[in-house]
Amino acid sequence: MTAFDSTQAFSGFSVDDIDAARTFYGDVLGMDVTTNEMGFLDIRLGEGGSILVYAKPNHEPASFTVLNFPVDDVEAAVDDLNTRGVVTKIYDDPQLGTDAKGISHGAPDRGPDIAWFRDPAGNVLAVLAPV
């Protein structure tokens, strides 16, 4: 046995408004969100993992994807997110270009179908199809 053990590992990221994050992750996305004794959000994931979301006064949104949601059908997931008021990001970059719905369609050397969106704090999230 070693001192380092990853079985209870979790990820975390900051937001600028904990109440807006609670509403977005819990009510809009339908995730299992609780508030811990320190006032941080604990988001439980399906296979037992978790995410810690904490308020940070000088929060700067991550410029990279902090949370990925694997889905069977990216287009259906985007349609579902749009009905919940979530807007996907439209990119016109030739390397990561998206269609009018905000979906970057994958290819053998480009990766999976993926669509990006932001939480209220500006952090980048994504839905993507398994390759």
Side-chain angles (χ1 to χ4, degrees):
M1 183 177 272
T2 65
F4 176 80
D5 180 6
S6 65
T7 58
Q8 297 297 314
F10 62 92
S11 182
F13 53 86
S14 70
V15 296
D16 55 356
D17 183 334
I18 203 77
D19 293 327
R22 182 183 304 103
T23 298
F24 180 76
Y25 287 100
D27 298 342
V28 176
L29 297 186
M31 300 180 77
D32 181 6
V33 179
T34 57
T35 304
N36 69 23
E37 61 279 352
M38 295 176 57
F40 300 156
L41 302 182
D42 287 319
I43 301 175
R44 297 280 174 223
L45 302 175
E47 296 294 320
S50 66
I51 303 165
L52 178 72
V53 177
Y54 54 95
K56 184 177 175 189
N58 58 347
H59 166 77
E60 291 188 28
S63 60
F64 52 88
T65 307
V66 298
L67 185 57
N68 292 287
F69 297 92
V71 296
D72 292 329
D73 183 338
V74 172
E75 187 159 345
V78 166
D79 289 343
D80 184 21
L81 288 168
N82 291 162
T83 64
R84 299 173 190 219
V86 176
V87 177
T88 51
K89 177 72 175 138
I90 309 295
Y91 291 100
D92 56 11
D93 180 317
Q95 298 298 316
L96 294 173
T98 60
D99 65 15
K101 285 187 168 186
I103 301 170
S104 175
H105 295 278
D109 56 345
R110 282 186 45 148
D113 288 355
I114 187 168
W116 295 273
F117 57 101
R118 294 185 181 271
D119 72 3
N123 294 312
V124 180
L125 315 174
V127 290
L128 68 148
V131 182

